Amino acid sequence: GGSPGEGSGPGGGAERAGGTAGGALCPWAFEAVRPRDGSRFRVWLDDRQPGPAPAPGSDPGQPLGHGGGQHSSSSGHGGSLDSSSSGPPAARCAWVPEPAPRPLRREGSSDLCVPRAQVPVPARAPPRPLNYIHPDGAPFPANCDDEGGRLQPLCAALRRVAVGREVVAAVSNKNIFANLGLFLEGLGRANVTNGMVVALDPETADFVEDRGFPAFLRPLRTRTGDTSNHATSGLKFRILKEFMLVGCSVLLSDVDVAWLRDPFPALYGDADVEGMTDGFDDVSSYGAPGSGVLGGGRSAFRIFARNSGMFYISATNESLRMMERMTHRMATESIWDQTAYNEEQFYLSTDQHQGLGLSQRVMNYLCFLNTKVLFKYVREEPRLYPDAYAPIGGHVNYHPEKPQRMADIFKHYQQGQRGVLERWNGGEGLKIANECKFQGVVPESAAGKASSVVTAVLAAGKAEWGGVRWMRFRGDGTLETPWGKGSWGGVPKGDKRAATVVWANFFGDTRHLLTLKGELPAGGPFTLESIRCTDGDSVKV
């Protein structure tokens, strides 16, 4: 009943929905789903003044979310239908696409990070439209003369940087230049042209501009004067409030995020706040009833925290209220900014608390991923790794080796170097660090003498270390180096590496594993590869 026949429309199921076309009341409105690719269409049927049928085999129209359409966007889900209305309609009922802010992924797309066609909503309960502070067509940036003209410098910066009224923005000070430099390099390789850094001090502004990136100097201090990363993180909400006031939507990013591709095509942009999750699968990221995994009974709904170091905030009145409240809380409370950020999204209105009424979306955890997802799951999944897909960005939030892991993420996904991510543990540290945890044996001990490689090193007596002469290996386990004295020896008896590996500690007692490359010759030189246990650095010996 009501769905077009084979060859004259999309086919599939049809759900009746209220609607008008061109201001006219159409007797029947449907949402049709095309099974082969999931495309959704709105169709109005009028048997009193029919329009021409589509040509056989033709596409009846663009799917929902692609292109314009001559009919009012208010004609979608609202209101009931009156099939008995009298009088001919003012305009022919037809296939009408509904606009969407971003391209939607079609079935069969090879890029899982392009947004999906959204799940159909009940006919009488569509999501509310975003309540933008400055609607389309209004001047941008706006309100630049407000607050005594203090917003003028920000407006000037946004005129140079913003694209489509949105930017990627990071807040940084001079304490984290190592991460900031990597962050900027990644933005450049990802061809993100509307990225900027809000610098909390002149040194940071100079650092950013010297590398050819836009910087906006906004000197601010925390309420305690602390300049640590966690302390200054809370200042971003005061800064974001100013972006909201001038009408600019922001993809907020910490500087330990490795941006691998332009993130904007992967955003839905249909919520006040669209944020990254600390979760690692559907259950933890998107929420589920309480379980043995998440805890709580069936009456509970558990979900992992949203991360306050990566989120897209639309320039809406609801977002502005959130930024104002977060600014106040960061200035008056001793609280981690991520805790308050989650509270303000989830807490409902009560006698003691007024909720913000935010609309929210969780980012795809495989696209805007945290490093737990990357190093514990993606890296172990052949359907995703090493070449099956490319994330949009990776936030190094689960691991302490931030610049080192960031550099390797860039090497793998942007520079094509394979094997660099494999050297890291899923948890803290390098895999080599686990291999280095053993009690070494002295060369002249029984276990040392039983090792062919220890005997060969002792017989050679000295070695070039990465071209530097000489490293001298003594029988009592003493190691003499150009950097001072150290120690060396063999692997414990029974370890399968005993015949091929020796260890050396020097330069602050840093351990190195030296592994035989090839076979031991009957006489003459041979080669070992040294791996430094602290960072995996490799040297030929």
Side-chain angles (χ1 to χ4, degrees):
S3 179
E6 183 68 21
S8 63
E15 176 185 347
R16 182 171 178 173
T20 63
L25 184 66
C26 288
W28 298 96
F30 294 87
E31 183 174 88
V33 180
R34 185 162 60 193
R36 72 170 182 266
D37 63 1
S39 297
R40 298 185 300 120
F41 299 83
R42 181 64 44 72
V43 56
W44 286 269
L45 304 177
D46 184 356
D47 56 4
R48 292 165 298 177
Q49 188 176 344
S58 68
D59 194 323
Q62 292 295 318
L64 293 183
H66 288 270
Q70 71 270 34
H71 301 299
S72 166
S73 62
S74 65
S75 61
H77 293 291
S80 60
L81 290 174
D82 180 6
S83 61
S84 64
S85 63
S86 60
R92 182 175 66 247
C93 301
W95 295 96
V96 180
E98 289 187 348
R102 304 185 188 278
L104 303 179
R105 183 168 90 246
R106 309 272 32 101
E107 190 70 24
S109 169
S110 60
D111 190 347
L112 65 83
C113 293
V114 175
R116 295 177 182 272
Q118 298 180 33
V119 178
V121 298
R124 298 178 185 273
R128 68 164 173 82
L130 293 181
N131 183 20
Y132 286 106
I133 298 171
H134 304 292
D136 288 343
F140 175 84
N143 297 332
C144 298
D145 293 325
D146 288 5
E147 302 195 16
R150 187 170 54 81
L151 298 177
Q152 282 286 4
L154 175 60
C155 289
L158 293 177
R159 290 188 188 101
R160 297 192 306 269
V161 179
V163 176
R165 301 188 178 204
E166 57 189 7
V167 296
V168 177
V171 178
S172 182
N173 64 14
K174 60 187 177 183
N175 293 344
I176 46 177
F177 280 175
N179 277 350
L180 180 57
L182 289 168
F183 171 82
L184 295 174
E185 291 171 11
L187 277 184
R189 285 190 295 264
N191 295 317
V192 178
T193 59
N194 55 337
M196 63 188 297
V197 173
V198 180
L200 298 176
D201 49 64
E203 294 88 345
T204 301
D206 292 341
F207 180 89
V208 172
E209 291 174 345
D210 287 347
R211 284 154 180 77
F213 287 86
F216 169 60
L217 179 60
R218 183 69 172 94
L220 289 173
R221 290 176 59 85
T222 64
R223 67 188 186 89
T224 63
D226 189 354
T227 60
S228 67
N229 187 34
H230 266 239
T232 57
S233 181
L235 297 174
K236 61 193 171 196
F237 300 104
R238 181 174 173 183
I239 293 165
L240 288 173
K241 171 188 170 183
E242 296 171 359
F243 278 81
M244 299 294 102
L245 285 170
V246 301
C248 186
S249 300
V250 179
L251 177 56
L252 187 283
S253 173
D254 281 356
V255 297
D256 57 351
V257 174
W259 290 111
L260 307 170
R261 294 198 277 160
D262 184 353
F264 289 103
L267 296 170
Y268 282 84
D270 62 352
D272 296 310
V273 182
E274 184 171 350
M276 170 200 160
T277 175
D278 279 347
F280 47 87
D281 58 13
D282 283 8
V283 172
S284 57
S285 299
Y286 307 142
S291 66
V293 176
L294 294 178
R298 296 294 297 176
S299 61
F301 185 84
R302 303 297 298 272
I303 187 169
F304 268 49
R306 313 269 170 78
N307 192 286
S308 62
M310 185 201 292
F311 58 89
Y312 179 82
I313 184 161
S314 299
T316 64
N317 286 286
E318 289 75 15
S319 298
L320 176 59
R321 285 200 296 270
M322 180 181 180
M323 295 304 102
E324 289 173 335
R325 186 171 294 177
M326 289 294 300
T327 299
H328 174 74
R329 294 190 65 180
M330 293 300 100
T332 59
E333 299 179 29
S334 179
I335 188 171
W336 183 26
D337 67 277
Q338 182 161 301
T339 300
Y341 168 78
N342 278 271
E343 288 176 350
E344 293 304 334
Q345 290 184 71
F346 287 109
Y347 280 6
L348 305 177
S349 295
T350 66
D351 289 346
Q352 291 80 35
H353 180 82
Q354 180 63 48
L356 293 169
L358 293 164
S359 60
Q360 306 168 48
R361 176 180 283 277
V362 183
M363 290 173 168
N364 185 329
Y365 60 87
L366 289 175
C367 300
F368 298 88
L369 49 72
N370 58 63
T371 44
K372 181 173 184 176
V373 172
L374 175 58
F375 286 100
K376 291 186 73 70
Y377 298 101
V378 168
R379 194 178 56 172
E380 309 302 327
E381 175 51 70
R383 291 174 295 176
L384 298 174
Y385 186 85
D387 301 310
Y389 93 115
I392 301 298
H395 188 182
V396 188
N397 63 318
Y398 269 96
H399 297 90
E401 312 89 5
K402 291 181 181 291
Q404 296 87 350
R405 292 200 189 226
M406 278 184 75
D408 283 351
I409 290 170
F410 286 133
K411 287 176 184 177
H412 178 87
Y413 285 110
Q414 286 187 334
Q415 299 166 316
Q417 296 184 32
R418 296 297 177 254
V420 291
L421 296 183
E422 281 73 9
R423 69 194 188 106
W424 294 100
N425 281 323
E428 183 177 344
L430 293 159
K431 289 181 178 178
I432 189 69
N434 295 331
E435 300 172 15
C436 292
K437 293 177 181 177
F438 59 84
Q439 184 67 43
V441 299
V442 178
E444 291 182 340
S445 67
K449 292 177 180 178
S451 168
S452 56
V453 68
V454 170
T455 302
V457 169
L458 192 57
K462 63 182 181 179
E464 288 188 7
W465 190 280
V468 177
R469 298 180 178 180
W470 293 102
M471 307 282 284
R472 299 185 184 277
F473 297 83
R474 306 302 186 188
D476 62 356
T478 299
L479 177 63
E480 298 172 0
T481 83
W483 305 280
K485 285 192 175 183
S487 57
W488 77 284
V491 176
K493 188 176 181 180
D495 190 308
K496 62 182 180 180
R497 300 171 294 173
T500 58
V501 173
V502 297
W503 58 271
N505 287 8
F506 62 96
F507 197 72
D509 205 34
T510 300
R511 175 160 285 195
H512 303 71
L513 289 189
L514 288 70
T515 303
L516 177 67
K517 308 304 290 183
E519 300 291 330
L520 280 173
F526 57 94
T527 301
L528 304 172
E529 180 188 19
S530 169
I531 302 294
R532 188 162 54 200
C533 294
T534 53
D535 61 5
D537 186 60
S538 175
V539 171
K540 182 180 177 181
V541 179

